[in-house]
Amino acid sequence: MNFMNIFVAVAVSASVVVGAQDVFASDNGVAFLKEKEGHLACAKKVYSLPGVRFMHKIRPVDAMAEVSVSGLPEGLVWNASRRLVEGVVDIPGEYYYKVNVENGDSTVQETVSLTVSPDLQQPTPFMGWLSWNVVEGDISDEVVRTVADAMVSTGLKDAGYDYLVIDDLWQAKAREEGTGFPSPDSIKFPDGMKAVADYVHSKGLKFGIYSDAGSKTCAGCFGSYGFEEVDAKAYAGWDVDLLKYDYCFVDGADDALSAYTRYKAMGDALKSSGRDILLYMCEWGAREPWKWGAETGATTWRCTYDTRDGWNGTPGGIGIVQSVEGMKDIWPYSGVNRFNDADMMCVGIHGKGKSSNDLVEGAPGMTQTEYRTQFAMWCMWSSPLTLSFDLRKPIAEDDLAIMTNPELIAINQDPMGQQAEFIGEDANGVQLYFKDLANGDVAVAVLNMGDKTQEYIIDFSRIDALDADIPYKVRDLQARTDAGVHEGIMNVDVASHETKVYRLSR
Ligand code: GAL
């Protein structure tokens, strides 16, 4: 189909640089990104639930600069050796603190805003199922009902997957004449969208929909540009809970400032729609949305082009290799209510998808070890956990076990919302990550990107959340077994493309 070619063309051209302001350079866009970033290479708009442990790692753009923090609200302290703010704020409110960035003679100050509220839209990454990878244009009332039933009967809902999101190609050929109302395709959705949403809600699930900030969606249906208020009202009227908002057909509005303006227009429209609708941005990370997405009203943003069902993508394709490339270094920008999204997982697809099938080396599909790695890293990164396999068909026990591993899901859903910090990769392609957890535990992941099994020594002194001189009780979260007590170091074997994840408790 034509639209796939259009999308692939966009993806290929923009995949040259990840975080590609170079590709979409315009004076406006570059100046906008510089202004948003200022002197900090970390989030400046952060969130916390009252009474829940909060953490904010502060990193300067200039790696040589020293940072310190002043004006912290009651309950928070500055941890100078780890360069992070931590603690618990009990009283809801809007707070501000200052970060001092010093390099030689010059000191500059940046302001951080902290919103403490019991009503955050996305305190932990949302979990659910998206229709695109296996359903594409076959989406319909019947498919939604079948999938909703399956989410309940398979136990996925009980495991935490509670958003059912329909992607592109639900729309009628054109908007309603005169009113501009965004009607659904009447053959696919004969009873309209509200009936479908009602059914999804009756199963205890939430309902998400898809549109685009351009004149058309990526698959060529009508987009929302210029119709933001009409659409937001329509979605609210249908009781929609989430909007995935794409960025095709933007007619030259390619730079970050234009994208910000378009996303904010929809963010504002959703805010005044009368319903709490989560805005999920999908401009594929091309304009570094982690620096400005939160200011549009969005609480999550895609950080890569579309994930494919393979380990290594061919040019323009995103396999695990490219997901890792796109995600590993943007951890300072993630946090509660502001999550970096690594796109739909392909766990359970086994090469039998539609759009997820192309642009990979070899045949589509991954080994169970590779799917386990995908799941584990999405959990470590605090990415929304979105499944995309075919829920119209029975699911294999082993696939279900990967997706419902409660100990890994607990890492993903940790109330402190930290994305795992990337420490580095050794000469054999073994990567080391760690993630601070709300109860003081630390999750450590060892990911073998190479093609041979490696013996690896986890050196606790490289992980600043750990004390190398005290013993830790270790739990293996993939195997779901205890892994003994370790002090200072821990020896592990990691097979090719495998990820070991450990939870360390004092
Ligand atoms: C792409 C998007 C995909 C899917 C598709 C629908 O731009 O990244 O996730 O939504 O559009 O056309």
Side-chain angles (χ1 to χ4, degrees):
M1 263 203 233
N2 255 348
F3 68 83
M4 279 312 299
N5 297 337
I6 293 165
F7 180 64
V8 168
V10 174
V12 169
S13 66
S15 66
V16 184
V17 184
V18 178
Q21 75 268 47
D22 298 350
V23 173
F24 295 121
S26 82
D27 290 349
N28 268 351
V30 172
F32 171 79
L33 279 173
K34 279 241 164 311
E35 182 214 315
K36 286 297 156 209
E37 181 176 77
H39 297 87
L40 292 182
C42 62
K44 291 198 270 185
K45 185 170 173 51
V46 293
Y47 304 85
S48 178
L49 289 171
V52 173
R53 187 171 171 224
F54 166 81
M55 182 174 279
H56 180 205
K57 295 184 178 174
I58 306 287
R59 296 294 181 268
V61 170
D62 172 357
M64 304 303 286
E66 305 238 336
V67 284
S68 61
V69 165
S70 48
L72 287 172
E74 201 180 317
L76 298 184
V77 294
W78 170 238
N79 179 333
S81 65
R82 294 193 60 200
R83 296 187 297 165
L84 56 84
V85 171
E86 61 184 333
V88 176
V89 181
D90 288 323
I91 301 168
E94 289 293 327
Y95 300 91
Y96 297 90
Y97 46 88
K98 297 278 182 209
V99 178
N100 311 300
V101 184
E102 281 176 59
N103 194 353
D105 299 338
S106 78
T107 300
V108 283
Q109 270 198 335
E110 293 275 0
T111 302
V112 171
S113 79
L114 162 65
T115 304
V116 180
S117 165
D119 303 317
L120 297 177
Q121 197 175 51
Q122 205 180 165
T124 59
F126 85 89
M127 296 172 64
W129 179 89
L130 268 76
S131 63
W132 188 248
N133 278 352
V134 294
V135 177
E136 263 183 20
D138 295 337
I139 192 67
S140 68
D141 180 303
E142 197 195 329
V143 170
V144 174
R145 286 172 202 259
T146 307
V147 168
D149 291 348
M151 285 174 78
V152 176
S153 64
T154 53
L156 285 170
K157 173 177 172 268
D158 285 344
Y161 297 92
D162 61 353
Y163 278 88
L164 192 166
V165 182
I166 60 169
D167 210 291
D168 210 346
L169 293 170
W170 58 265
Q171 303 88 335
K173 286 212 164 43
R175 292 176 176 275
E176 230 168 71
E177 238 172 89
T179 63
F181 191 77
S183 304
D185 181 313
S186 61
I187 296 173
K188 295 176 179 175
F189 296 95
D191 300 324
M193 215 40 109
K194 173 84 166 69
V196 172
D198 285 349
Y199 187 78
V200 171
H201 288 138
S202 77
K203 297 278 152 185
L205 300 166
K206 294 175 188 150
F207 181 60
I209 204 166
Y210 164 98
S211 192
D212 187 290
S215 57
K216 289 184 197 171
T217 68
C218 296
C221 299
F222 52 78
S224 291
Y225 184 54
F227 290 89
E228 291 86 354
E229 281 174 24
V230 179
D231 287 0
K233 283 215 176 70
Y235 305 152
W238 296 335
D239 287 346
V240 164
D241 302 297
L242 175 151
L243 172 66
K244 172 176 170 182
Y245 205 42
D246 221 330
Y247 209 67
C248 281
F249 293 99
V250 292
D251 198 15
D254 289 319
D255 62 280
L257 175 58
S258 303
Y260 165 80
T261 309
R262 289 187 182 215
Y263 278 103
K264 177 116 178 22
M266 183 50 95
D268 290 347
L270 291 176
K271 268 199 191 102
S272 45
S273 73
R275 189 172 168 87
D276 186 17
I277 300 177
L278 190 158
L279 177 58
Y280 169 17
M281 285 176 50
C282 180
E283 61 73 72
W284 323 292
R287 300 156 197 82
E288 307 189 341
W290 43 88
K291 292 182 182 166
W292 50 268
E295 290 168 50
T296 69
T299 51
T300 186
W301 32 84
R302 267 272 289 282
C303 298
T304 68
Y305 288 98
D306 300 12
T307 52
R308 311 288 168 165
D309 193 6
W311 180 259
N312 197 8
T314 54
I318 306 292
I320 301 291
V321 171
Q322 291 73 24
S323 295
V324 167
E325 231 5 80
M327 291 295 289
K328 72 181 181 5
D329 295 314
I330 53 176
W331 54 267
Y333 292 95
S334 180
V336 167
N337 207 44
R338 45 167 309 134
F339 295 106
N340 292 329
D341 171 54
D343 197 13
M344 292 166 254
M345 294 177 288
C346 294
V347 184
I349 296 185
H350 299 292
K352 303 221 171 69
K354 288 193 175 187
S355 69
S356 53
N357 274 9
D358 56 2
L359 300 177
V360 287
E361 272 179 9
M366 291 190 262
T367 64
Q368 289 301 76
T369 298
E370 292 169 340
Y371 286 127
R372 267 189 215 104
T373 277
Q374 184 172 51
F375 192 75
M377 291 315 298
W378 264 236
C379 289
M380 287 296 287
W381 290 328
S382 291
S383 168
L385 289 183
T386 48
L387 303 167
S388 61
F389 71 102
D390 201 342
L391 261 165
R392 295 166 298 185
K393 300 186 179 135
I395 171 176
E397 278 303 314
D398 193 36
D399 290 338
L400 196 59
I402 296 176
M403 302 164 196
T404 57
N405 178 332
E407 300 188 52
L408 282 173
I409 291 177
I411 297 286
N412 177 268
Q413 296 290 300
D414 185 78
M416 210 159 65
Q418 293 290 292
Q419 176 172 337
E421 183 170 334
F422 174 59
I423 299 181
E425 178 176 310
D426 72 7
N428 299 317
V430 181
Q431 300 190 344
L432 182 63
Y433 295 82
F434 77 96
K435 172 169 175 153
D436 287 273
L437 302 171
N439 72 346
D441 288 358
V442 178
V444 175
V446 184
L447 161 56
N448 183 355
M449 300 297 293
D451 48 19
K452 287 191 197 75
T453 297
Q454 300 292 342
E455 284 172 17
Y456 185 81
I457 300 172
I458 304 174
D459 175 354
F460 292 9
S461 68
R462 293 182 68 202
I463 300 173
D464 68 9
L466 296 178
D467 186 334
D469 300 323
I470 64 163
Y472 287 87
K473 210 167 85 182
V474 179
R475 176 99 179 144
D476 179 336
L477 302 189
Q478 293 276 26
R480 302 188 55 201
T481 52
D482 289 334
V485 173
H486 298 264
E487 187 177 328
I489 58 162
M490 186 177 160
N491 293 295
V492 297
D493 285 340
V494 202
S496 167
H497 298 180
E498 185 188 23
T499 302
K500 288 265 165 71
V501 186
Y502 301 101
R503 183 171 183 136
L504 280 68
S505 324
R506 279 172 187 249

